[in-house]
PDB file of all heavy atoms in Angstrom:
ATOM      1  N   CYS A  45     107.161  79.802 117.073  1.00 57.00           N
ATOM      2  CA  CYS A  45     108.300  80.696 116.846  1.00 57.00           C
ATOM      3  C   CYS A  45     107.969  82.054 116.270  1.00 57.00           C
ATOM      4  O   CYS A  45     108.221  83.050 116.911  1.00 57.00           O
ATOM      5  CB  CYS A  45     109.364  80.003 115.980  1.00 57.00           C
ATOM      6  SG  CYS A  45     110.104  78.581 116.781  1.00 57.00           S
ATOM      7  N   ALA A  46     107.474  82.144 115.037  1.00 62.00           N
ATOM      8  CA  ALA A  46     107.282  83.455 114.436  1.00 62.00           C
ATOM      9  C   ALA A  46     105.964  84.054 114.897  1.00 62.00           C
ATOM     10  O   ALA A  46     104.906  83.481 114.657  1.00 62.00           O
ATOM     11  CB  ALA A  46     107.302  83.342 112.916  1.00 62.00           C
ATOM     12  N   PRO A  47     105.976  85.212 115.577  1.00 70.00           N
ATOM     13  CA  PRO A  47     104.747  85.779 116.115  1.00 70.00           C
ATOM     14  C   PRO A  47     103.923  86.477 115.052  1.00 70.00           C
ATOM     15  O   PRO A  47     104.407  86.836 113.996  1.00 70.00           O
ATOM     16  CB  PRO A  47     105.261  86.785 117.147  1.00 70.00           C
ATOM     17  CG  PRO A  47     106.566  87.229 116.591  1.00 70.00           C
ATOM     18  CD  PRO A  47     107.147  86.023 115.899  1.00 70.00           C
ATOM     19  N   SER A  48     102.653  86.700 115.367  1.00 74.00           N
ATOM     20  CA  SER A  48     101.751  87.403 114.473  1.00 74.00           C
ATOM     21  C   SER A  48     101.766  88.886 114.787  1.00 74.00           C
ATOM     22  O   SER A  48     101.791  89.289 115.946  1.00 74.00           O
ATOM     23  CB  SER A  48     100.331  86.849 114.661  1.00 74.00           C
ATOM     24  OG  SER A  48      99.390  87.647 114.001  1.00 74.00           O
ATOM     25  N   ARG A  49     101.737  89.704 113.728  1.00 68.00           N
ATOM     26  CA  ARG A  49     101.695  91.143 113.941  1.00 68.00           C
ATOM     27  C   ARG A  49     100.369  91.567 114.557  1.00 68.00           C
ATOM     28  O   ARG A  49     100.276  92.509 115.298  1.00 68.00           O
ATOM     29  CB  ARG A  49     101.918  91.880 112.617  1.00 68.00           C
ATOM     30  CG  ARG A  49     102.035  93.385 112.785  1.00 68.00           C
ATOM     31  CD  ARG A  49     102.226  94.077 111.449  1.00 68.00           C
ATOM     32  NE  ARG A  49     103.488  93.720 110.835  1.00 68.00           N
ATOM     33  CZ  ARG A  49     104.659  94.260 111.158  1.00 68.00           C
ATOM     34  NH1 ARG A  49     104.729  95.167 112.112  1.00 68.00           N
ATOM     35  NH2 ARG A  49     105.764  93.880 110.549  1.00 68.00           N
ATOM     36  N   GLY A  50      99.304  90.862 114.236  1.00 60.00           N
ATOM     37  CA  GLY A  50      97.991  91.223 114.759  1.00 60.00           C
ATOM     38  C   GLY A  50      96.931  90.790 113.779  1.00 60.00           C
ATOM     39  O   GLY A  50      96.945  89.664 113.304  1.00 60.00           O
ATOM     40  N   GLU A  51      96.016  91.672 113.464  1.00 36.00           N
ATOM     41  CA  GLU A  51      94.949  91.333 112.534  1.00 36.00           C
ATOM     42  C   GLU A  51      95.543  91.040 111.165  1.00 36.00           C
ATOM     43  O   GLU A  51      96.390  91.779 110.662  1.00 36.00           O
ATOM     44  CB  GLU A  51      93.957  92.493 112.425  1.00 36.00           C
ATOM     45  CG  GLU A  51      93.152  92.717 113.681  1.00 36.00           C
ATOM     46  CD  GLU A  51      92.240  91.542 113.992  1.00 36.00           C
ATOM     47  OE1 GLU A  51      91.675  90.976 113.027  1.00 36.00           O
ATOM     48  OE2 GLU A  51      92.099  91.192 115.176  1.00 36.00           O
ATOM     49  N   GLY A  52      95.068  89.979 110.532  1.00 35.00           N
ATOM     50  CA  GLY A  52      95.562  89.615 109.219  1.00 35.00           C
ATOM     51  C   GLY A  52      94.924  90.452 108.136  1.00 35.00           C
ATOM     52  O   GLY A  52      93.988  91.204 108.361  1.00 35.00           O
ATOM     53  N   THR A  53      95.462  90.325 106.922  1.00 33.00           N
ATOM     54  CA  THR A  53      94.863  91.014 105.798  1.00 33.00           C
ATOM     55  C   THR A  53      93.604  90.298 105.368  1.00 33.00           C
ATOM     56  O   THR A  53      93.335  89.175 105.765  1.00 33.00           O
ATOM     57  CB  THR A  53      95.832  91.071 104.614  1.00 33.00           C
ATOM     58  OG1 THR A  53      96.195  89.739 104.263  1.00 33.00           O
ATOM     59  CG2 THR A  53      97.073  91.859 104.966  1.00 33.00           C
ATOM     60  N   SER A  54      92.832  90.912 104.536  1.00 33.00           N
ATOM     61  CA  SER A  54      91.557  90.358 104.102  1.00 33.00           C
ATOM     62  C   SER A  54      91.742  89.040 103.375  1.00 33.00           C
ATOM     63  O   SER A  54      92.709  88.843 102.648  1.00 33.00           O
ATOM     64  CB  SER A  54      90.861  91.347 103.166  1.00 33.00           C
ATOM     65  OG  SER A  54      89.787  90.747 102.504  1.00 33.00           O
ATOM     66  N   SER A  55      90.790  88.132 103.560  1.00 33.00           N
ATOM     67  CA  SER A  55      90.839  86.867 102.840  1.00 33.00           C
ATOM     68  C   SER A  55      90.530  87.053 101.362  1.00 33.00           C
ATOM     69  O   SER A  55      90.549  86.098 100.600  1.00 33.00           O
ATOM     70  CB  SER A  55      89.835  85.877 103.441  1.00 33.00           C
ATOM     71  OG  SER A  55      88.525  86.383 103.353  1.00 33.00           O
ATOM     72  N   GLU A  56      90.274  88.293 100.953  1.00 34.00           N
ATOM     73  CA  GLU A  56      90.081  88.575  99.539  1.00 34.00           C
ATOM     74  C   GLU A  56      91.401  88.791  98.821  1.00 34.00           C
ATOM     75  O   GLU A  56      91.428  89.092  97.636  1.00 34.00           O
ATOM     76  CB  GLU A  56      89.205  89.836  99.369  1.00 34.00           C
ATOM     77  CG  GLU A  56      87.830  89.724 100.006  1.00 34.00           C
ATOM     78  CD  GLU A  56      87.008  88.626  99.378  1.00 34.00           C
ATOM     79  OE1 GLU A  56      87.049  88.495  98.144  1.00 34.00           O
ATOM     80  OE2 GLU A  56      86.327  87.906 100.107  1.00 34.00           O
ATOM     81  N   ALA A  57      92.519  88.681  99.552  1.00 34.00           N
ATOM     82  CA  ALA A  57      93.817  88.904  98.925  1.00 34.00           C
ATOM     83  C   ALA A  57      93.983  88.026  97.701  1.00 34.00           C
ATOM     84  O   ALA A  57      93.531  86.887  97.656  1.00 34.00           O
ATOM     85  CB  ALA A  57      94.937  88.591  99.932  1.00 34.00           C
ATOM     86  N   GLN A  58      94.669  88.555  96.699  1.00 36.00           N
ATOM     87  CA  GLN A  58      94.789  87.836  95.439  1.00 36.00           C
ATOM     88  C   GLN A  58      95.633  86.595  95.578  1.00 36.00           C
ATOM     89  O   GLN A  58      96.628  86.570  96.283  1.00 36.00           O
ATOM     90  CB  GLN A  58      95.414  88.740  94.375  1.00 36.00           C
ATOM     91  CG  GLN A  58      94.449  89.765  93.811  1.00 36.00           C
ATOM     92  CD  GLN A  58      95.020  90.399  92.553  1.00 36.00           C
ATOM     93  OE1 GLN A  58      96.226  90.453  92.368  1.00 36.00           O
ATOM     94  NE2 GLN A  58      94.142  90.851  91.701  1.00 36.00           N
ATOM     95  N   ASP A  59      95.235  85.548  94.895  1.00 39.00           N
ATOM     96  CA  ASP A  59      96.004  84.318  94.813  1.00 39.00           C
ATOM     97  C   ASP A  59      97.177  84.541  93.865  1.00 39.00           C
ATOM     98  O   ASP A  59      97.082  85.322  92.931  1.00 39.00           O
ATOM     99  CB  ASP A  59      95.108  83.194  94.289  1.00 39.00           C
ATOM    100  CG  ASP A  59      95.726  81.827  94.492  1.00 39.00           C
ATOM    101  OD1 ASP A  59      96.580  81.473  93.658  1.00 39.00           O
ATOM    102  OD2 ASP A  59      95.346  81.127  95.432  1.00 39.00           O
ATOM    103  N   ALA A  60      98.279  83.853  94.119  1.00 37.00           N
ATOM    104  CA  ALA A  60      99.481  84.084  93.315  1.00 37.00           C
ATOM    105  C   ALA A  60      99.848  82.888  92.465  1.00 37.00           C
ATOM    106  O   ALA A  60     101.001  82.665  92.152  1.00 37.00           O
ATOM    107  CB  ALA A  60     100.659  84.430  94.223  1.00 37.00           C
ATOM    108  N   THR A  61      98.892  82.102  92.062  1.00 35.00           N
ATOM    109  CA  THR A  61      99.210  80.892  91.318  1.00 35.00           C
ATOM    110  C   THR A  61      99.102  81.087  89.812  1.00 35.00           C
ATOM    111  O   THR A  61      99.134  80.123  89.066  1.00 35.00           O
ATOM    112  CB  THR A  61      98.269  79.746  91.742  1.00 35.00           C
ATOM    113  OG1 THR A  61      96.905  80.175  91.583  1.00 35.00           O
ATOM    114  CG2 THR A  61      98.505  79.389  93.196  1.00 35.00           C
ATOM    115  N   ALA A  62      98.974  82.338  89.370  1.00 34.00           N
ATOM    116  CA  ALA A  62      98.914  82.577  87.938  1.00 34.00           C
ATOM    117  C   ALA A  62     100.201  82.104  87.273  1.00 34.00           C
ATOM    118  O   ALA A  62     101.288  82.173  87.841  1.00 34.00           O
ATOM    119  CB  ALA A  62      98.711  84.073  87.672  1.00 34.00           C
ATOM    120  N   GLN A  63     100.096  81.637  86.042  1.00 36.00           N
ATOM    121  CA  GLN A  63     101.239  81.070  85.344  1.00 36.00           C
ATOM    122  C   GLN A  63     102.238  82.167  84.993  1.00 36.00           C
ATOM    123  O   GLN A  63     101.902  83.184  84.415  1.00 36.00           O
ATOM    124  CB  GLN A  63     100.759  80.358  84.071  1.00 36.00           C
ATOM    125  CG  GLN A  63     101.787  79.420  83.491  1.00 36.00           C
ATOM    126  CD  GLN A  63     101.187  78.597  82.370  1.00 36.00           C
ATOM    127  OE1 GLN A  63     100.882  79.130  81.305  1.00 36.00           O
ATOM    128  NE2 GLN A  63     101.027  77.314  82.596  1.00 36.00           N
ATOM    129  N   ARG A  64     103.491  81.943  85.394  1.00 37.00           N
ATOM    130  CA  ARG A  64     104.542  82.898  85.099  1.00 37.00           C
ATOM    131  C   ARG A  64     105.807  82.140  84.739  1.00 37.00           C
ATOM    132  O   ARG A  64     105.955  80.973  85.065  1.00 37.00           O
ATOM    133  CB  ARG A  64     104.840  83.800  86.309  1.00 37.00           C
ATOM    134  CG  ARG A  64     103.668  84.635  86.798  1.00 37.00           C
ATOM    135  CD  ARG A  64     104.139  85.569  87.898  1.00 37.00           C
ATOM    136  NE  ARG A  64     103.030  86.376  88.416  1.00 37.00           N
ATOM    137  CZ  ARG A  64     102.347  86.091  89.496  1.00 37.00           C
ATOM    138  NH1 ARG A  64     102.613  84.978  90.163  1.00 37.00           N
ATOM    139  NH2 ARG A  64     101.383  86.876  89.913  1.00 37.00           N
ATOM    140  N   THR A  65     106.733  82.823  84.096  1.00 42.00           N
ATOM    141  CA  THR A  65     108.063  82.267  83.861  1.00 42.00           C
ATOM    142  C   THR A  65     109.063  83.164  84.562  1.00 42.00           C
ATOM    143  O   THR A  65     108.835  84.358  84.708  1.00 42.00           O
ATOM    144  CB  THR A  65     108.392  82.191  82.361  1.00 42.00           C
ATOM    145  OG1 THR A  65     108.230  83.501  81.796  1.00 42.00           O
ATOM    146  CG2 THR A  65     107.470  81.219  81.659  1.00 42.00           C
ATOM    147  N   PRO A  66     110.190  82.597  85.017  1.00 43.00           N
ATOM    148  CA  PRO A  66     111.158  83.409  85.747  1.00 43.00           C
ATOM    149  C   PRO A  66     111.634  84.598  84.925  1.00 43.00           C
ATOM    150  O   PRO A  66     111.957  84.473  83.745  1.00 43.00           O
ATOM    151  CB  PRO A  66     112.301  82.420  86.019  1.00 43.00           C
ATOM    152  CG  PRO A  66     111.640  81.088  86.005  1.00 43.00           C
ATOM    153  CD  PRO A  66     110.564  81.193  84.968  1.00 43.00           C
ATOM    154  N   GLY A  67     111.666  85.758  85.542  1.00 46.00           N
ATOM    155  CA  GLY A  67     112.109  86.966  84.873  1.00 46.00           C
ATOM    156  C   GLY A  67     113.562  87.260  85.171  1.00 46.00           C
ATOM    157  O   GLY A  67     114.254  86.508  85.850  1.00 46.00           O
ATOM    158  N   PRO A  68     114.078  88.377  84.682  1.00 46.00           N
ATOM    159  CA  PRO A  68     115.497  88.685  84.816  1.00 46.00           C
ATOM    160  C   PRO A  68     115.880  89.223  86.187  1.00 46.00           C
ATOM    161  O   PRO A  68     117.050  89.294  86.520  1.00 46.00           O
ATOM    162  CB  PRO A  68     115.704  89.769  83.749  1.00 46.00           C
ATOM    163  CG  PRO A  68     114.371  90.464  83.678  1.00 46.00           C
ATOM    164  CD  PRO A  68     113.353  89.371  83.890  1.00 46.00           C
ATOM    165  N   GLY A  69     114.910  89.644  86.984  1.00 58.00           N
ATOM    166  CA  GLY A  69     115.228  90.337  88.220  1.00 58.00           C
ATOM    167  C   GLY A  69     115.551  89.427  89.381  1.00 58.00           C
ATOM    168  O   GLY A  69     114.662  88.863  89.996  1.00 58.00           O
ATOM    169  N   GLY A  70     116.828  89.276  89.724  1.00 64.00           N
ATOM    170  CA  GLY A  70     117.216  88.604  90.947  1.00 64.00           C
ATOM    171  C   GLY A  70     117.167  87.095  90.922  1.00 64.00           C
ATOM    172  O   GLY A  70     117.796  86.437  91.726  1.00 64.00           O
ATOM    173  N   VAL A  71     116.418  86.488  90.008  1.00 73.00           N
ATOM    174  CA  VAL A  71     116.285  85.033  89.945  1.00 73.00           C
ATOM    175  C   VAL A  71     116.670  84.584  88.533  1.00 73.00           C
ATOM    176  O   VAL A  71     116.160  85.112  87.552  1.00 73.00           O
ATOM    177  CB  VAL A  71     114.852  84.582  90.264  1.00 73.00           C
ATOM    178  CG1 VAL A  71     114.781  83.065  90.344  1.00 73.00           C
ATOM    179  CG2 VAL A  71     114.369  85.197  91.564  1.00 73.00           C
ATOM    180  N   HIS A  72     117.549  83.631  88.437  1.00 79.00           N
ATOM    181  CA  HIS A  72     118.042  83.176  87.140  1.00 79.00           C
ATOM    182  C   HIS A  72     117.688  81.714  86.921  1.00 79.00           C
ATOM    183  O   HIS A  72     117.398  80.989  87.863  1.00 79.00           O
ATOM    184  CB  HIS A  72     119.556  83.385  87.051  1.00 79.00           C
ATOM    185  CG  HIS A  72     119.968  84.802  87.282  1.00 79.00           C
ATOM    186  ND1 HIS A  72     119.778  85.797  86.359  1.00 79.00           N
ATOM    187  CD2 HIS A  72     120.532  85.401  88.368  1.00 79.00           C
ATOM    188  CE1 HIS A  72     120.221  86.944  86.840  1.00 79.00           C
ATOM    189  NE2 HIS A  72     120.674  86.733  88.063  1.00 79.00           N
TER     190      HIS A  72
END
């Protein structure tokens, strides 16, 4: 279903699993 735009970004992209708590912006 969802097509690829083309070449992907680098595999060096940062991981997003750092510990966080929900902030005030848009998510409650």
